Amino acid sequence: HVTLKDGDTVIARAINVFAVVPKLPPADPKRSSIFGCNVNLSKTLFEIARRIGVRSVRLHEETYLRWAFMQPHAKDAYRYDKSREAVLRDMKKSGMHVLGVLELDSTWASTAPDSVKGWGRRYYPPKLDAWKKFVSDQARHFNGLIDSWEVWNEPYSSRWWKGTAEDYVEMLKVTYAAVKKISPNIQVVGICGPNSIKGWVGDCVRFGALQYLDVFSFHDYLNIRKGGPEEFHPSWRESIFRFKRFLRSKSGKTIPI
């Protein structure tokens, strides 16, 4: 617990968590785990993740991979970064599974109305021809470094997505075809819904989303921060089994979550 004061005036309070861990044996690439974390492509964060035994990483916080940053103008070459890609190679050498996130239009490729300016344009559905090229280029460039691509972060939230579920499924369809043309071994992760079958998830499934993904994803938030180990929360277990039954009933097969 940290309190920052100026004299007697409290400016800010924060809680941070740290751990001291023993030195771990070398990672076994064949060993898997259900646990992972969001990281940026920095050597420091990678090394921390490796030392605490992280086996899979999600690169949502990594602005480098977002279209809006990678190609801000239509005529721009992609801004690839050798130092960050070196971290990606280290992740793969250590046996980590890497999940990239395809998201955030460049303003020039957005379908936002002209009245929407600046940053806000990046949350609208993209122009699908431009999106297809971007997805193909990234799947090709990062083939062998990024194992799976998740299509947008939390599109069920208007904070991140200004389109409809039908718009999202159209984008997912284009993404799936583009990625699989590069390599059938790259997984497409889709829907990225809330912890509910109603609303966004059900709508996406109704519009055919399950045809265009290898893995289903959902996000749930528990505002729990403890000093000791947490038990696997019952609501997560219930959600996973509920989603598994729902996905099988709609697709006739088992879809990984």
Side-chain angles (χ1 to χ4, degrees), residues 65-235:
L65 296 177
R66 294 175 178 174
W67 193 8
F69 294 92
M70 187 171 280
Q71 191 188 29
H73 304 98
K75 296 182 179 180
D76 290 346
Y78 294 118
R79 297 175 173 178
Y80 293 125
D81 186 316
K82 292 182 179 180
S83 64
R84 293 181 178 180
E85 290 178 22
V87 178
L88 266 177
R89 286 191 290 273
D90 288 340
M91 287 177 172
K92 294 308 301 172
K93 288 177 184 177
S94 74
M96 290 182 179
H97 180 280
V98 179
L99 172 65
V101 183
L102 296 162
E103 62 176 340
L104 292 188
D105 302 346
S106 280
T107 54
W108 59 270
S110 172
T111 61
D114 293 340
S115 58
V116 178
K117 306 296 183 182
W119 182 266
R121 297 182 61 82
R122 297 167 181 175
Y123 300 105
Y124 282 78
K127 297 174 182 177
L128 291 180
D129 287 345
W131 175 259
K132 178 181 178 180
K133 184 179 186 307
F134 170 71
V135 170
S136 297
D137 290 344
Q138 303 325 305
R140 182 181 300 107
H141 182 82
F142 292 104
N143 191 13
L145 293 177
I146 293 180
D147 304 286
S148 307
W149 287 101
E150 187 169 35
V151 183
W152 221 268
N153 176 67
E154 299 183 358
Y156 63 89
S157 169
S158 60
R159 176 188 175 191
W160 291 101
W161 178 254
K162 301 298 184 181
T164 65
E166 189 172 11
D167 293 331
Y168 176 80
V169 173
E170 284 299 310
M171 181 178 66
L172 182 65
K173 179 180 179 180
V174 169
T175 305
Y176 189 83
V179 168
K180 294 302 180 180
K181 189 173 182 179
I182 300 302
S183 173
N185 297 322
I186 303 173
Q187 292 182 315
V188 175
V189 182
I191 297 184
C192 196
N195 188 355
S196 174
I197 292 170
K198 297 179 181 179
W200 177 263
V201 173
D203 289 344
C204 286
V205 170
R206 181 162 52 86
F207 288 119
L210 299 184
Q211 303 173 66
Y212 312 120
L213 56 79
D214 301 302
V215 180
F216 166 83
S217 64
F218 76 97
H219 285 187
D220 192 14
Y221 292 88
L222 292 173
N223 294 319
I224 299 174
R225 179 172 282 180
K226 299 180 180 179
E230 296 178 15
E231 294 183 359
F232 190 70
H233 199 276
S235 70

Side-chain angles (χ1 to χ4, degrees), residues 15-27:
I15 301 174
N16 238 325
V17 176
F18 70 93
V20 178
V21 298
K23 184 175 181 180
L24 297 174

